[in-house]
């Protein structure tokens, strides 16, 4: 079977050079390997994702000369599948609801840090410090019945205990490079993320959950993405084992940075591809700007 690559942007802003690099790299590697390229629209966040941003994704990719198999998968059309996975994990006793707001969690972290530093995940966010895991079942049911907002969290300790019983080591072979040069056999560290959120009351999935389910359902064999997601792979491997789905090959690539050395981001108003196009920049110029050769056959890995 030919390898299957994917590019999976979120339509919560316009694509920039960082997106162009990842999309072109996936496209080049797929062509060089005689494989397939899929486009997935990760639009689970209804408050930030907009139709005009999704339309711009198609326009920008086509302008870059990228082709993909149609139709693109839109995550918002598959909530039932993600909900089914959450229910399966709940049936194993691996899910619990937490009811604290973000402000309440921030206050709890601040209180704890008055005594000592509170642990943070690889992205720098504080680990969940609440006690919702110890709430009695009838109290959980009462709060949910009252319409309280909640997040469904993975009980990391219970999940790790279950994977340990499977006797399968949580490792992956990195074909690219992590933020500190990690490559080859990497030992996953999902516990570094604490009790991650897998779904919310209003959204029956999260990035971590939907991405592993979609990669499996779409038979993705090669995940090529930015090294800012390198340690997220630890959570993804854990979920793959818990859900009994296959592990793709992972290749994390370098990030495109601005003049100050920070990665390009929609949140920091990085210059959009459509703006560059309006300035007369060509697709060939984009390839040169992100350090990709004009001939895809010379693409080696993009790390």
């Amino acid at each position: 079977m030919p390898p299957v690559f994917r590019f999976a942007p979120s339509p919560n802003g316009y694509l920039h050079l960082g997106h162009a690099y990842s999309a072109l790299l996936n496209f080049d590697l797929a062509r060089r390997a005689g494989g397939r390229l899929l486009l997935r629209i990760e639009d689970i966040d209804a408050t930030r994702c907009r139709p005009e941003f999704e339309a711009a994704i198609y326009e920008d990719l086509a302008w870059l000369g990228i082709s993909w198999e149609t139709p693109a998968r839109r995550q918002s059309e598959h909530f039932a599948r993600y909900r089914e996975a959450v229910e399966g994990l709940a049936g194993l006793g691996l899910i619990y609801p937490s009811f604290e707001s973000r402000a309440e969690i921030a206050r709890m972290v601040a209180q704890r840090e008055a005594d000592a530093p509170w642990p943070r995940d690889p992205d720098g966010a504080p680990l969940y410090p609440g006690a919702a895991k110890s709430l009695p079942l009838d109290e959980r049911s009462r709060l949910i019945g009252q319409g309280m907002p909640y997040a469904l969290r993975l009980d990391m300790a219970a999940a790790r205990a279950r994977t340990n019983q499977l006797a399968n080591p949580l490792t992956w072979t990195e074909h690219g490079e992590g933020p500190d040069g990690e490559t080859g056999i990497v030992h996953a560290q999902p516990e570094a993320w604490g009790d991650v959120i897998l779904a919310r009351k209003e959204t029956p999935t999260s990035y971590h959950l939907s991405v592993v389910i979609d990669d499996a359902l779409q038979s993705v064999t090669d995940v090529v993405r930015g090294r800012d997601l390198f340690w997220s792979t630890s959570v993804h491997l854990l979920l793959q084992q818990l859900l009994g789905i296959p592990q793709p090959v992972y290749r994390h690539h370098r990030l495109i940075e601005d003049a100050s050395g920070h990665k390009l981001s929609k949140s920091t108003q990085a210059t959009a591809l459509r703006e560059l196009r309006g300035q007369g920049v060509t697709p060939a110029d984009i390839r040169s700007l992100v350090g990709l050769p004009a001939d895809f056959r010379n693409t080696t890995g993009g790390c």
Side-chain angles (χ1 to χ4, degrees):
M1 296 294 291
V4 180
F5 296 75
R6 49 79 161 173
F7 177 59
S10 295
N12 54 12
Y14 293 117
L15 299 186
H16 51 61
L17 282 175
H19 297 110
Y21 176 64
S22 194
L24 286 166
L25 182 57
N26 273 278
F27 181 53
D28 288 357
L29 291 171
R31 286 195 295 169
R32 197 183 70 169
R36 302 159 53 201
L37 177 67
L38 309 179
L39 175 63
R40 184 163 70 226
I41 303 299
E42 299 195 339
D43 60 344
I44 61 175
D45 187 347
T47 62
R48 298 177 60 207
C49 295
R50 302 179 189 172
E52 59 266 32
F53 293 146
E54 182 177 339
I57 289 172
Y58 303 135
E59 180 182 331
D60 288 342
L61 295 181
W63 173 70
L64 287 170
I66 294 173
S67 57
W68 60 90
E69 294 186 9
T70 57
R73 180 181 176 90
R74 301 177 72 248
Q75 289 184 331
S76 60
E77 298 173 352
H78 301 278
F79 281 166
R81 180 63 186 85
Y82 308 136
R83 186 179 291 109
E84 178 184 327
V86 170
E87 291 172 351
L89 293 172
L92 297 174
L94 303 179
I95 299 284
Y96 68 91
S98 64
F99 301 91
E100 301 93 343
S101 67
R102 289 183 174 87
E104 289 171 331
I105 290 175
R107 283 196 295 270
M108 286 189 285
V109 171
Q111 290 169 355
R112 286 158 175 76
E113 289 195 319
D115 300 319
W118 186 254
R120 279 167 160 69
D121 67 26
D123 284 343
L127 300 191
Y128 172 65
K133 186 160 51 176
S134 62
L135 280 177
L137 291 177
D138 57 349
E139 179 64 7
R140 295 179 185 177
S141 298
R142 184 184 69 81
L143 292 172
I144 291 175
Q146 289 179 346
M148 286 284 290
Y150 59 86
L152 294 175
R153 294 181 178 273
L154 179 68
D155 185 335
M156 184 60 71
R160 288 299 278 131
R162 184 172 183 84
T163 56
N164 288 339
Q165 292 174 355
L166 299 175
N168 294 325
L170 276 182
T171 63
W172 81 91
T173 302
E174 175 58 45
H175 292 264
E177 192 172 275
D180 293 318
E182 301 92 342
T183 192
I185 302 298
V186 179
H187 292 269
Q189 302 173 30
E191 55 277 357
W193 294 90
D195 290 356
V196 294
I197 293 175
L198 294 187
R200 295 184 184 275
K201 175 185 177 182
E202 67 278 6
T203 307
T205 189
S206 65
Y207 165 73
H208 291 308
L209 182 67
S210 56
V211 73
V212 297
I213 291 175
D214 285 349
D215 284 343
L217 290 177
Q218 294 188 284
S219 301
V220 172
T221 61
D222 292 67
V223 172
V224 180
R225 61 189 181 189
R227 63 180 55 145
D228 54 326
L229 293 169
F230 180 82
W231 286 115
S232 294
T233 309
S234 293
V235 177
H236 301 168
L237 264 63
L238 178 65
L239 290 173
Q240 286 158 2
Q241 283 208 6
L242 293 173
L243 295 169
I245 55 182
Q247 179 189 129
V249 169
Y250 287 97
R251 179 187 287 109
H252 292 87
H253 61 67
R254 61 183 171 84
L255 302 176
I256 304 299
E257 299 176 337
D258 60 22
S260 61
H262 297 98
K263 77 163 185 171
L264 298 182
S265 171
K266 297 171 186 172
S267 61
T268 57
Q269 306 299 310
T271 304
L273 293 179
R274 62 195 299 105
E275 185 177 340
L276 294 173
R277 183 163 69 246
Q279 296 171 2
V281 175
T282 68
D285 294 331
I286 297 294
R287 280 188 165 273
S288 178
L289 285 169
V290 299
L292 281 175
D295 186 345
F296 74 88
R297 287 167 293 190
N298 293 327
T299 302
T300 59
C303 296

